[in-house]
Amino acid sequence: MSGLWELSRYERNPAVLTAGDTIPQIFLNAVKARGDRVWMREKKLGIWREWTWNGAFTAVREIGMGLAALGLQPGQTASILSNTVVEWVLADLGVLCAGGVSNGIYPTDSADQVQYLCSDSATRVLFVEDEEQLDKALEVRAQLPELQWIVVFDMEGLQQFEDPQVISLAALRERGRAHDAANPGEFDRRAASRGPQDLAILVYTSGTTGRPKGAMHLHGALAWTLRQSNLGLPQAEGDERMCFLPLCHIAERMVGAFSSIYAGSILNFVENPDTVPENVREIAPTIFFAVPRVWEKFYSAVVIGVKEAGRVQQLAYGWSIAVGGRVADLVLAKQPVPAALKLQFRLARWLALDNVRKLIGIHRSRYLLTGAAPISPELIRWYLSLGVPMLEGWGMTETCAIGTLNRPDAIRMGSIGPPAEGVEVRIEPATGEILVRGTNVFAGYLNLPEKTAETIVDGWLHTGDVGVVDEQGYFRITDRMKDIIITAGGKNITPSEWENELKFSPYITDAVVIGDKRPYLVCIVMIDQENVERFAQDHDVPFSNYASLTRAPEVRALIQGEIDQVNKKFARVEQVKRFWLLEAQLTAEDEELTPTMKLKRKLVQQKYAAQIDAMYQA
């Protein structure tokens, strides 16, 4: 099994790394054990600043006591409306240590969405990042009678602003220090007031099929999940992590922030989403979790860079990645790697592969994690060919981010892996739906008992995903139940498999295949603006804006070529006959995209119905 990566670096460690049955207990025990060691780093104004465990504890204690001074009672909710910054984590822990319930809100959400989420969760205190987020809160606070306070992290531009309901984070911490001094012992009592069966956090679903639903996660379930997930994804003190995905999403909250508290790994915050590629190279994380879109962007940058390189560099890369691929295939098949091929792989690393790893920033990575959306198996193989194991897992908001997981010594491409430690997963025979049972399963949807009863039946969570399992217990998702296409000819088609293959193209960001009750399949495609613009410039294709770029005949021919390549992998009835390029550059603030940057299939089909109909009339 040697030759690609050192499996000894992934030994299963059954020991409890940090004791505790609630998040406050785990955090306080982590502080006691690690004290003045570095826990978090953040880059501001070009300088990396460090937070020790003790320094973070001081801030958390002051925030928690500040909330107590503001009147937040144990069991009441505080929400956080912010990008991924250190203050998000400090506020989150401050709420939990004060005995409260913590809820995250996507920073891209509109004012109306903020109003709904705060109302549904009965939010008493709302943390906001800056002036932009404060404006949303002020716009809707008249409709939120239970909202008592708004706390602002960054007061830039608000020095002269005064409002009796608004307070800065610095002022909150000052109140907390005074309240702590006047009420000795209250912090400890509040931190101990929540037990394993008490509600800890709310995580709202992305709302692809209606209003977001608040998934309730209990302290005990979170603590159990952290211990179990570290068995399959071992990490420890000294590991370097990156924190850049939305913390209100269950994946970054659990796999990032909370697991860092449990294991003691160092959490590094990027400057902003645009600096992720640069910050990755600076941080060189030893464990790197990202969603498929990030891995696709890294791959695309390398592919485009190779195309623009000299002939010698192209040949060196082509030979090296082919050698890496042969080694990866043998390791995946659990076959020995011949000595001659091992020597070739060392040469391949020296010639090109190590440089590619450094270009991305994964040269120190023990393993890469991908989840939250489907990924092309060929993309996983590419990273394996570089000599870095990429582990695909599957989980949901409702499963506390874990469900199944490939292990470094038993990766199966195209599979989401066997069940995670302590989790039961099975296929419902009648429908093919994936069912999950375990302590990690959520306690239900807030204020929606009927929806909860529909989703959890006899202790089994009905995920809505359709899948299959092989004889070795490896699961594979074929599609969402509601997304399966039945063509006019009666053929059942799972669109996600075709879409994932297309997204492997450096020129395509996302796609939606359509064809339910239709004679053939068509596709709506979202191009990768940066790479397609570069193609247009290299080939003297005139364009004035994004829309004109998508309409250029040369660009349409480029995308047609990418679709033709994917079509070759599928039967004729599963091939896409026509496509249409989205003519607007979408961001997470657009209704067509979820906050995790996935196209909303149902909404896309509704909004672009005319364009879809035109593809069937052409």
Side-chain angles (χ1 to χ4, degrees), residues 69-86:
L70 296 184
L72 184 76
Q73 298 299 312
Q76 293 182 339
T77 301
S79 293
I80 306 170
L81 173 60
S82 168
N83 284 287
T84 299
V85 292
V86 165

Side-chain angles (χ1 to χ4, degrees), residues 415-417 427 432-434 466-470 473-478:
S415 162
I416 55 174
I427 303 293
E433 184 178 13
I434 296 176
V466 177
V468 294
V469 59
D470 64 20
Y474 280 72
F475 286 80
R476 184 168 64 87
I477 293 178
T478 54

Side-chain angles (χ1 to χ4, degrees), residues 271-555:
E271 292 173 273
N272 60 66
D274 295 331
T275 63
V276 167
E278 173 190 336
N279 294 154
V280 173
R281 289 190 288 270
E282 291 180 89
I283 296 164
T286 59
I287 298 172
F288 191 179
F289 168 70
V291 295
R293 187 162 185 176
V294 173
W295 300 124
E296 291 160 1
K297 292 288 284 185
F298 288 152
Y299 166 78
S300 297
V302 171
V303 170
I304 297 298
V306 169
K307 286 184 178 180
E308 296 177 347
R311 180 63 177 163
V312 173
Q313 290 174 301
Q314 290 179 351
L315 291 172
Y317 169 80
W319 179 82
S320 299
I321 201 71
V323 169
R326 292 201 298 274
V327 175
D329 290 343
L330 289 172
V331 174
L332 290 170
K334 297 187 177 182
Q335 296 178 4
V337 180
L341 187 54
K342 288 182 183 179
L343 288 174
Q344 290 181 37
F345 184 63
R346 289 196 188 100
L347 178 60
R349 288 191 57 173
W350 179 79
L351 273 177
L353 302 186
D354 283 353
N355 288 334
V356 172
R357 287 160 63 161
K358 289 177 181 177
L359 176 68
I360 297 172
I362 58 173
H363 50 287
R364 292 202 303 158
S365 294
R366 293 195 287 118
Y367 55 82
L368 312 174
L369 305 175
T370 182
I375 190 170
S376 166
E378 284 304 309
L379 189 59
I380 291 179
R381 185 179 183 275
W382 183 79
Y383 282 97
L384 296 178
S385 301
L386 296 179
V388 187
M390 173 173 278
L391 313 179
E392 183 176 10
W394 167 85
M396 307 170 61
T397 298
E398 292 84 349
T399 67
C400 208
I402 72 165
T404 63
L405 178 69
N406 279 276
R407 274 63 166 184
D409 59 344
I411 297 172
R412 188 161 301 184
M413 292 193 308
S415 162
I416 55 174
E421 298 278 351
V423 179
E424 295 179 78
V425 184
R426 69 179 178 89
I427 303 293
E428 173 64 39
T431 62
E433 184 178 13
I434 296 176
L435 308 183
V436 178
R437 183 168 66 180
T439 306
N440 59 309
V441 172
F442 77 138
Y445 295 115
L446 182 69
N447 304 324
L448 296 171
E450 292 182 0
K451 190 65 179 177
T452 300
E454 293 173 9
T455 306
I456 303 177
V457 181
D458 297 328
W460 287 93
L461 172 71
H462 287 246
T463 67
D465 282 326
V466 177
V468 294
V469 59
D470 64 20
E471 294 179 354
Q472 286 73 42
Y474 280 72
F475 286 80
R476 184 168 64 87
I477 293 178
T478 54
D479 221 314
R480 294 288 291 171
M481 291 186 70
K482 63 179 182 296
D483 293 340
I484 291 177
I485 292 172
I486 303 177
T487 65
K491 174 68 175 177
N492 282 33
I493 295 172
T494 56
S496 64
E497 188 175 359
W498 198 98
E499 293 160 358
N500 293 338
E501 290 288 346
L502 188 62
K503 286 187 288 185
F504 189 53
S505 163
Y507 302 110
I508 293 169
T509 295
D510 208 348
V512 172
V513 172
I514 295 140
D516 197 46
K517 301 180 178 63
R518 305 272 197 168
Y520 52 82
L521 301 183
V522 299
C523 186
I524 291 180
V525 176
M526 183 164 64
I527 64 171
D528 184 294
Q529 181 185 13
E530 181 180 352
N531 290 340
V532 174
E533 281 186 352
R534 188 179 300 179
F535 166 85
Q537 292 162 357
D538 291 344
H539 293 82
D540 297 321
V541 178
F543 67 95
S544 57
N545 54 30
Y546 187 87
S548 66
L549 180 69
T550 63
R551 295 170 188 156
E554 295 89 344
V555 170

Side-chain angles (χ1 to χ4, degrees), residues 52 193 215 222 230 274 370 385 435 515 539 580 588 608:
T52 65
S193 67
L222 295 176
N230 201 70
D274 295 331
T370 182
S385 301
L435 308 183
H539 293 82
W580 181 74
Y608 301 103

